[in-house]
mmCIF file of all heavy atoms in Angstrom:
data_model
loop_
_atom_site.group_PDB
_atom_site.id
_atom_site.type_symbol
_atom_site.label_atom_id
_atom_site.label_comp_id
_atom_site.label_asym_id
_atom_site.label_seq_id
_atom_site.Cartn_x
_atom_site.Cartn_y
_atom_site.Cartn_z
ATOM 1 N N SER A 9 -12.015 -9.887 -1.129
ATOM 2 C CA SER A 9 -11.185 -11.034 -0.652
ATOM 3 C C SER A 9 -9.757 -10.560 -0.701
ATOM 4 O O SER A 9 -9.386 -9.577 -1.287
ATOM 5 C CB SER A 9 -11.364 -12.225 -1.608
ATOM 6 O OG SER A 9 -10.823 -11.901 -2.891
ATOM 7 N N LYS A 10 -8.897 -11.347 -0.048
ATOM 8 C CA LYS A 10 -7.448 -11.024 -0.035
ATOM 9 C C LYS A 10 -6.820 -11.077 -1.384
ATOM 10 O O LYS A 10 -5.819 -10.406 -1.626
ATOM 11 C CB LYS A 10 -6.682 -11.946 0.893
ATOM 12 C CG LYS A 10 -7.020 -11.678 2.290
ATOM 13 C CD LYS A 10 -6.174 -12.511 3.267
ATOM 14 C CE LYS A 10 -6.457 -12.185 4.697
ATOM 15 N NZ LYS A 10 -5.558 -12.896 5.627
ATOM 16 N N SER A 11 -7.445 -11.775 -2.394
ATOM 17 C CA SER A 11 -6.879 -11.855 -3.691
ATOM 18 C C SER A 11 -7.039 -10.527 -4.404
ATOM 19 O O SER A 11 -6.361 -10.308 -5.444
ATOM 20 C CB SER A 11 -7.528 -12.985 -4.508
ATOM 21 O OG SER A 11 -8.926 -12.719 -4.658
ATOM 22 N N GLU A 12 -7.947 -9.665 -3.971
ATOM 23 C CA GLU A 12 -8.052 -8.374 -4.627
ATOM 24 C C GLU A 12 -6.994 -7.429 -4.286
ATOM 25 O O GLU A 12 -6.725 -6.435 -5.009
ATOM 26 C CB GLU A 12 -9.439 -7.712 -4.163
ATOM 27 C CG GLU A 12 -10.666 -8.408 -4.783
ATOM 28 C CD GLU A 12 -11.980 -7.763 -4.294
ATOM 29 O OE1 GLU A 12 -11.928 -7.117 -3.263
ATOM 30 O OE2 GLU A 12 -12.857 -7.809 -5.091
ATOM 31 N N TYR A 13 -6.302 -7.722 -3.211
ATOM 32 C CA TYR A 13 -5.120 -6.834 -2.924
ATOM 33 C C TYR A 13 -3.971 -7.233 -3.791
ATOM 34 O O TYR A 13 -3.363 -8.244 -3.632
ATOM 35 C CB TYR A 13 -4.709 -6.929 -1.406
ATOM 36 C CG TYR A 13 -5.855 -6.450 -0.473
ATOM 37 C CD1 TYR A 13 -6.654 -7.313 0.243
ATOM 38 C CD2 TYR A 13 -6.012 -5.065 -0.319
ATOM 39 C CE1 TYR A 13 -7.598 -6.823 0.994
ATOM 40 C CE2 TYR A 13 -6.973 -4.603 0.496
ATOM 41 C CZ TYR A 13 -7.814 -5.477 1.189
ATOM 42 O OH TYR A 13 -8.702 -5.004 1.980
ATOM 43 N N VAL A 14 -3.680 -6.391 -4.784
ATOM 44 C CA VAL A 14 -2.694 -6.767 -5.819
ATOM 45 C C VAL A 14 -1.350 -6.460 -5.300
ATOM 46 O O VAL A 14 -0.426 -7.325 -5.346
ATOM 47 C CB VAL A 14 -2.944 -5.973 -7.103
ATOM 48 C CG1 VAL A 14 -1.867 -6.155 -8.067
ATOM 49 C CG2 VAL A 14 -4.315 -6.323 -7.645
ATOM 50 N N SER A 15 -1.113 -5.324 -4.761
ATOM 51 C CA SER A 15 0.274 -4.984 -4.275
ATOM 52 C C SER A 15 0.171 -3.870 -3.211
ATOM 53 O O SER A 15 -0.764 -3.263 -3.110
ATOM 54 C CB SER A 15 1.141 -4.523 -5.436
ATOM 55 O OG SER A 15 0.673 -3.279 -5.960
ATOM 56 N N SER A 16 1.299 -3.772 -2.551
ATOM 57 C CA SER A 16 1.312 -2.624 -1.594
ATOM 58 C C SER A 16 2.730 -2.116 -1.615
ATOM 59 O O SER A 16 3.713 -2.919 -1.835
ATOM 60 C CB SER A 16 0.973 -3.163 -0.210
ATOM 61 O OG SER A 16 1.918 -4.128 0.288
ATOM 62 N N LYS A 17 2.891 -0.809 -1.437
ATOM 63 C CA LYS A 17 4.216 -0.245 -1.468
ATOM 64 C C LYS A 17 4.235 0.903 -0.499
ATOM 65 O O LYS A 17 3.218 1.445 -0.109
ATOM 66 C CB LYS A 17 4.549 0.265 -2.863
ATOM 67 C CG LYS A 17 3.737 1.388 -3.335
ATOM 68 C CD LYS A 17 4.115 1.850 -4.724
ATOM 69 C CE LYS A 17 3.338 3.042 -5.248
ATOM 70 N NZ LYS A 17 3.768 3.559 -6.446
ATOM 71 N N ARG A 18 5.453 1.225 -0.063
ATOM 72 C CA ARG A 18 5.601 2.350 0.840
ATOM 73 C C ARG A 18 6.392 3.545 0.115
ATOM 74 O O ARG A 18 7.385 3.320 -0.538
ATOM 75 C CB ARG A 18 6.539 1.871 1.953
ATOM 76 C CG ARG A 18 6.627 2.765 3.171
ATOM 77 C CD ARG A 18 7.203 1.926 4.317
ATOM 78 N NE ARG A 18 7.133 2.575 5.603
ATOM 79 C CZ ARG A 18 6.112 2.838 6.393
ATOM 80 N NH1 ARG A 18 4.905 2.522 5.930
ATOM 81 N NH2 ARG A 18 6.266 3.418 7.470
ATOM 82 N N LEU A 19 5.800 4.689 0.276
ATOM 83 C CA LEU A 19 6.471 5.895 -0.359
ATOM 84 C C LEU A 19 7.553 6.339 0.582
ATOM 85 O O LEU A 19 7.455 6.316 1.775
ATOM 86 C CB LEU A 19 5.394 7.007 -0.542
ATOM 87 C CG LEU A 19 4.303 6.774 -1.614
ATOM 88 C CD1 LEU A 19 3.377 7.997 -1.535
ATOM 89 C CD2 LEU A 19 4.848 6.534 -2.940
ATOM 90 N N THR A 20 8.680 6.754 -0.053
ATOM 91 C CA THR A 20 9.780 7.273 0.755
ATOM 92 C C THR A 20 9.664 8.762 0.842
ATOM 93 O O THR A 20 9.207 9.438 -0.013
ATOM 94 C CB THR A 20 11.138 6.887 0.119
ATOM 95 O OG1 THR A 20 11.224 7.463 -1.237
ATOM 96 C CG2 THR A 20 11.310 5.361 -0.016
ATOM 97 N N GLY A 21 10.265 9.274 1.902
ATOM 98 C CA GLY A 21 10.228 10.696 2.172
ATOM 99 C C GLY A 21 10.892 10.968 3.526
ATOM 100 O O GLY A 21 11.354 10.093 4.169
ATOM 101 N N PRO A 22 10.925 12.222 3.957
ATOM 102 C CA PRO A 22 11.564 12.528 5.123
ATOM 103 C C PRO A 22 10.789 11.983 6.395
ATOM 104 O O PRO A 22 11.343 11.726 7.373
ATOM 105 C CB PRO A 22 11.580 14.068 5.171
ATOM 106 C CG PRO A 22 10.493 14.513 4.165
ATOM 107 C CD PRO A 22 10.449 13.335 3.203
ATOM 108 N N LYS A 23 9.435 11.784 6.212
ATOM 109 C CA LYS A 23 8.631 11.326 7.257
ATOM 110 C C LYS A 23 8.163 9.944 6.924
ATOM 111 O O LYS A 23 8.026 9.596 5.776
ATOM 112 C CB LYS A 23 7.373 12.196 7.436
ATOM 113 C CG LYS A 23 7.647 13.621 7.786
ATOM 114 C CD LYS A 23 6.458 14.407 7.740
ATOM 115 C CE LYS A 23 6.786 15.866 7.883
ATOM 116 N NZ LYS A 23 5.609 16.739 7.717
ATOM 117 N N PRO A 24 8.056 9.002 7.910
ATOM 118 C CA PRO A 24 7.551 7.719 7.550
ATOM 119 C C PRO A 24 6.175 7.716 6.967
ATOM 120 O O PRO A 24 5.275 8.438 7.512
ATOM 121 C CB PRO A 24 7.539 6.959 8.913
ATOM 122 C CG PRO A 24 7.710 7.997 9.922
ATOM 123 C CD PRO A 24 8.202 9.189 9.300
ATOM 124 N N LEU A 25 5.960 7.103 5.912
ATOM 125 C CA LEU A 25 4.667 7.146 5.284
ATOM 126 C C LEU A 25 3.860 5.876 5.542
ATOM 127 O O LEU A 25 4.451 4.885 5.788
ATOM 128 C CB LEU A 25 4.915 7.256 3.709
ATOM 129 C CG LEU A 25 5.686 8.517 3.257
ATOM 130 C CD1 LEU A 25 5.932 8.463 1.751
ATOM 131 C CD2 LEU A 25 4.807 9.814 3.553
ATOM 132 N N PRO A 26 2.610 6.020 5.474
ATOM 133 C CA PRO A 26 1.759 4.804 5.766
ATOM 134 C C PRO A 26 1.810 3.802 4.633
ATOM 135 O O PRO A 26 2.093 4.158 3.493
ATOM 136 C CB PRO A 26 0.338 5.388 5.862
ATOM 137 C CG PRO A 26 0.341 6.601 5.062
ATOM 138 C CD PRO A 26 1.736 7.084 5.132
ATOM 139 N N LEU A 27 1.439 2.577 4.939
ATOM 140 C CA LEU A 27 1.434 1.509 3.994
ATOM 141 C C LEU A 27 0.277 1.781 3.061
ATOM 142 O O LEU A 27 -0.863 2.062 3.448
ATOM 143 C CB LEU A 27 1.262 0.146 4.620
ATOM 144 C CG LEU A 27 1.299 -1.089 3.736
ATOM 145 C CD1 LEU A 27 2.703 -1.162 3.118
ATOM 146 C CD2 LEU A 27 1.051 -2.297 4.574
ATOM 147 N N ILE A 28 0.555 1.721 1.751
ATOM 148 C CA ILE A 28 -0.501 2.000 0.754
ATOM 149 C C ILE A 28 -0.862 0.697 0.107
ATOM 150 O O ILE A 28 -0.005 0.060 -0.451
ATOM 151 C CB ILE A 28 -0.031 3.027 -0.288
ATOM 152 C CG1 ILE A 28 0.268 4.314 0.381
ATOM 153 C CG2 ILE A 28 -1.105 3.217 -1.374
ATOM 154 C CD1 ILE A 28 0.969 5.336 -0.520
ATOM 155 N N ARG A 29 -2.155 0.400 0.008
ATOM 156 C CA ARG A 29 -2.636 -0.803 -0.645
ATOM 157 C C ARG A 29 -3.284 -0.404 -1.979
ATOM 158 O O ARG A 29 -4.204 0.421 -1.953
ATOM 159 C CB ARG A 29 -3.571 -1.590 0.236
ATOM 160 C CG ARG A 29 -2.889 -2.101 1.510
ATOM 161 C CD ARG A 29 -3.828 -2.931 2.269
ATOM 162 N NE ARG A 29 -3.113 -3.327 3.532
ATOM 163 C CZ ARG A 29 -3.568 -3.070 4.691
ATOM 164 N NH1 ARG A 29 -4.629 -2.339 4.889
ATOM 165 N NH2 ARG A 29 -2.815 -3.449 5.691
ATOM 166 N N VAL A 30 -2.958 -1.067 -2.999
ATOM 167 C CA VAL A 30 -3.531 -0.797 -4.286
ATOM 168 C C VAL A 30 -4.626 -1.904 -4.505
ATOM 169 O O VAL A 30 -4.215 -3.100 -4.445
ATOM 170 C CB VAL A 30 -2.578 -0.801 -5.416
ATOM 171 C CG1 VAL A 30 -3.321 -0.591 -6.720
ATOM 172 C CG2 VAL A 30 -1.548 0.309 -5.200
ATOM 173 N N VAL A 31 -5.843 -1.536 -4.714
ATOM 174 C CA VAL A 31 -6.906 -2.541 -4.817
ATOM 175 C C VAL A 31 -7.407 -2.543 -6.234
ATOM 176 O O VAL A 31 -7.649 -1.538 -6.822
ATOM 177 C CB VAL A 31 -7.998 -2.154 -3.873
ATOM 178 C CG1 VAL A 31 -9.159 -3.156 -3.962
ATOM 179 C CG2 VAL A 31 -7.505 -2.055 -2.429
ATOM 180 N N GLU A 32 -7.511 -3.687 -6.745
ATOM 181 C CA GLU A 32 -8.050 -3.946 -8.093
ATOM 182 C C GLU A 32 -9.533 -3.925 -7.983
ATOM 183 O O GLU A 32 -10.126 -4.689 -7.176
ATOM 184 C CB GLU A 32 -7.544 -5.293 -8.691
ATOM 185 C CG GLU A 32 -7.598 -5.312 -10.145
ATOM 186 C CD GLU A 32 -7.055 -6.624 -10.652
ATOM 187 O OE1 GLU A 32 -5.798 -6.652 -10.722
ATOM 188 O OE2 GLU A 32 -7.741 -7.564 -10.864
#
């Protein structure tokens, strides 16, 4: 469910990084 998606963050770097989802 959508409630399992706790947070998402983007890593910084010289290239654009994909969106990372942390799942509980």
Side-chain angles (χ1 to χ4, degrees):
S9 66
K10 288 188 179 182
S11 63
E12 287 180 334
Y13 294 104
V14 176
S15 67
S16 64
K17 65 178 182 177
R18 190 165 188 71
L19 294 178
T20 59
K23 302 174 188 171
L25 299 174
L27 185 63
I28 299 172
R29 294 183 183 119
V30 178
V31 180
E32 195 176 281

